[in-house]
Amino acid sequence: MQYLDNVFFLILLIAGFGLFGKSLLKIYRNIRLGREINRSDRKSERWETMARVAMGQSRMTARPVAGVLHLFVYVGFVIINIELIEIIVDGIFGTHRFLSTIFGHTFYNFFTATLEVLALLVIVGVVLFFIRRNFYGVKRLTMKELFGWPKNDANWILIIEFALMVAFFTMNSSDFILQQRGVLAAHGSFPISEMTLVPFLEIFSFDSIFLEVIERGAWWFHFVGILFFMNYLYYSKHLHIILAFPSTWYANLDLYGKFNNLESVTKEIKLMMDPNADPYAAPVEGAEEAPSKFGAEDVFDLNQVQLLNAYSCTECGRCTSVCPANITGKKLSPRAILMKTRDRLEEVGRNIDKNGKFEDDGKKLLNDYITKEELWACTTCNACTQACPILLDPLSIIFEMRRFLVMEQSAAPQELNLMMTNVENNAAPWQYNQADRLNWAKD
């Protein structure tokens, strides 16, 4: 019976991490539904970008208030979860503050005191974020694409983080009093707890057994809460906690908005312009074959980095807040482009889960999720890609879907068709004969 807690802890641990691993495998499978893309070049630059942007939070400081608050939550979250190692060891082997035996008395005191300060900063951060999101009226946090689940999800995450930090302080406070009473061995320094919860608990806890119940209850709540939070990530925008790292590593390092020419199309144009070329010549070995479809109609036609981007979106709305099309009242929202891509990808994933393979459901990303009006509203100014704190690229998805409309459906707007006709006939976008192109400079 004395090992019942340890066995129960181990079962929860295995189940929690097992479910989390299963969710990650499902995300990986869904991302693999996209087209392969080679982003393994310039490795040193990619590692530097990931360290600077994902780990160093360099782009968050563009908006200082949100950047500082996010830094509080981010650093606190990362450092405090080092304590998860201690919780796991203590839970499996029944020890008490295992890391104290490794760190030594002085460094462990510094470690636990640092955790307390960071936990307080996390509480400050999530409370201010909650107020800012729900009562302050930041426009990008009140747009229509955030109505319903996205808004509730963001709030639930803040509430969960707040509850975990309160449990952390409750655990430390009751532990400290028990150490003072000689019930537990003295390990750690808890400056924030001593100033806040310790005086309150001492008033209402004359019995050490009651304190032990509080300490164990807070400890178990904190552990189970971490497992719950970890498995909740799959359903949440907070997947960026994990996916921001591969997203920044695989980010596009070329110039923003650089259009990727298709080798097969370039080859056809060269054949047309070369009077000596044989259009019926056998393809060169190793040359890129013409794609079965130009552009993207559904998530299967997007590349794997674009699908990774869809899962990584933080829904912060920085992209949409700087989008000139959105600012002037048009339907386009770069954030919504990524959210809708993720929604469609999740729908496809559920279809595969149900049928063992994808069965045609009569839906497409184009029209059923993202409308032509949204796509053609984009000015391709790259403001969205420059604003994203983790280097996501909604513009590339818009590019590919436009390419499908033009090359597969010949469904470009009238103005664009007129421009392309002029380029074809006059070698310029304007409706003037080539001989008249320099008339403007005569005088």
Side-chain angles (χ1 to χ4, degrees), residues 6-58:
N6 308 87
V7 172
F8 181 61
F9 178 91
L10 189 59
I11 291 172
L12 280 179
L13 184 69
I14 293 171
F17 276 89
L19 287 172
F20 181 59
K22 184 179 178 182
S23 296
L24 290 182
L25 287 175
K26 189 177 291 187
I27 291 169
Y28 177 73
R29 178 206 65 189
N30 290 351
I31 291 173
R32 294 276 295 173
L33 295 174
R35 291 178 175 178
E36 291 187 7
I37 181 173
N38 184 6
R39 287 274 177 87
S40 58
D41 60 330
R42 301 153 70 176
K43 286 185 172 61
S44 60
E45 190 175 348
R46 294 189 179 281
W47 284 113
E48 186 273 332
T49 300
M50 185 181 75
R52 174 171 45 83
V53 177
M55 187 169 291
Q57 305 282 293
S58 62

Side-chain angles (χ1 to χ4, degrees), residues 70-117:
H70 190 274
L71 191 64
F72 286 170
V73 177
Y74 170 74
V75 174
F77 179 83
V78 171
I79 302 298
I80 286 171
N81 277 286
I82 295 175
E83 192 199 22
L84 183 61
I85 300 170
E86 184 174 63
I87 289 176
I88 290 173
V89 175
D90 287 349
I92 293 174
F93 299 103
T95 53
H96 174 248
R97 297 197 173 272
F98 160 76
L99 288 178
S100 63
T101 61
I102 296 177
F103 289 167
H105 179 75
T106 302
F107 185 73
Y108 188 73
N109 283 353
F110 172 76
F111 171 69
T112 51
T114 302
L115 291 184
E116 290 236 321
V117 172

